[in-house]
């Protein structure tokens, strides 16, 4: 018998490409995410007379995005922004051209494989009202094929 999984069980990490060794930074404060596996898809219509009035198409390009939203987080003692959020906000989003790509990975806590993307990032809006916590978000756009990585340990 299958059961649905809890959305709060998803884990998201960004790779710190400036670290001397492979270093993955968890992204804290996430309250919602949206994986759109059809974003940036391009198709071409292939309908012809022999299609007998039925639409036909071929997919010419695949794409995907991952939007992560939540709360802007800081360390209570040092007041430093969450390392994963800070890396995205202050390192990754500042890069242009060939330097604009970075890797992200995510999985549900019940899974034994990470989804791994080479990607670009677009920073999201931050804000809040009188009785709100400050929001934080970003949208990651996959570049190339998705890969997978075994969960270590």
């Amino acid at each position: 018998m299958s059961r649905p999984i809890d959305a709060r069980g998803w884990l998201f990490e960004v790779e710190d490409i400036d670290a001397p060794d492979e270093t993955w930074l968890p992204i804290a404060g996430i309250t919602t995410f949206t994986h759109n596996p059809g974003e940036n898809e391009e198709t071409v219509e292939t309908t012809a007379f022999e299609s007998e009035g039925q639409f036909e198409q071929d997919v010419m390009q695949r794409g995907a995005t991952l939007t992560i939203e939540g709360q802007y987080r800081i360390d209570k003692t040092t007041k430093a922004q969450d390392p994963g959020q800070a890396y995205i906000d202050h390192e990754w989003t500042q890069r242009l051209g060939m330097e604009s790509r970075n890797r992200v990975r995510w999985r549900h806590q019940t899974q034994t494989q990470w989804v791994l993307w080479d990607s670009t990032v677009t920073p999201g809006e931050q804000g809040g009202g009188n009785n709100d916590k400050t929001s934080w978000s970003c949208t990651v756009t996959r570049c190339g094929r998705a890969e997978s990585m075994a969960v270590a340990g």
Side-chain angles (χ1 to χ4, degrees):
M1 172 184 214
S2 66
R3 297 284 302 147
I5 59 176
D6 296 336
R8 70 173 53 112
W10 287 91
L11 309 168
F12 301 86
E13 297 183 350
V14 60
E15 184 179 24
D16 181 348
I17 62 171
D18 300 319
D21 297 317
E22 185 174 309
T23 302
W24 291 93
L25 304 171
I27 304 168
I30 297 171
T31 58
T32 186
F33 75 97
T34 303
H35 173 226
N36 184 346
E39 186 73 22
N40 299 315
E41 182 178 277
E42 295 289 338
T43 62
V44 63
E45 183 178 342
T46 58
T47 307
F49 290 170
E50 59 267 15
S51 301
E52 299 177 351
Q54 301 301 309
F55 177 81
E56 294 183 30
Q57 74 174 14
D58 288 340
V59 176
M60 302 303 291
Q61 172 179 295
R62 298 282 186 194
T65 58
L66 176 66
T67 300
I68 304 168
E69 300 176 343
Q71 300 164 343
Y72 188 101
R73 291 291 176 103
I74 64 168
D75 182 280
K76 288 176 12 179
T77 305
T78 67
K79 308 301 187 234
Q81 186 181 9
D82 167 72
Q85 289 183 5
Y87 183 85
I88 292 169
D89 287 351
H90 305 292
E91 301 296 328
W92 191 4
T93 62
Q94 304 305 310
R95 298 190 208 126
L96 302 171
M98 293 187 308
E99 305 301 319
S100 65
R101 291 191 185 184
N102 210 99
R103 294 194 310 170
V104 295
R105 67 183 186 182
W106 77 94
R107 69 178 178 92
H108 192 267
Q109 62 191 12
T110 61
Q111 297 173 331
T112 60
Q113 295 282 316
W114 291 97
V115 174
L116 179 66
W117 283 3
D118 185 36
S119 50
T120 60
V121 70
T122 302
E125 296 178 347
Q126 294 177 354
N130 192 45
N131 292 315
D132 296 333
K133 296 294 185 180
T134 302
S135 64
W136 180 90
S137 66
C138 71
T139 299
V140 176
T141 301
R142 189 185 79 210
C143 299
R145 291 185 183 271
E147 297 180 23
S148 62
M149 173 187 285
V151 174

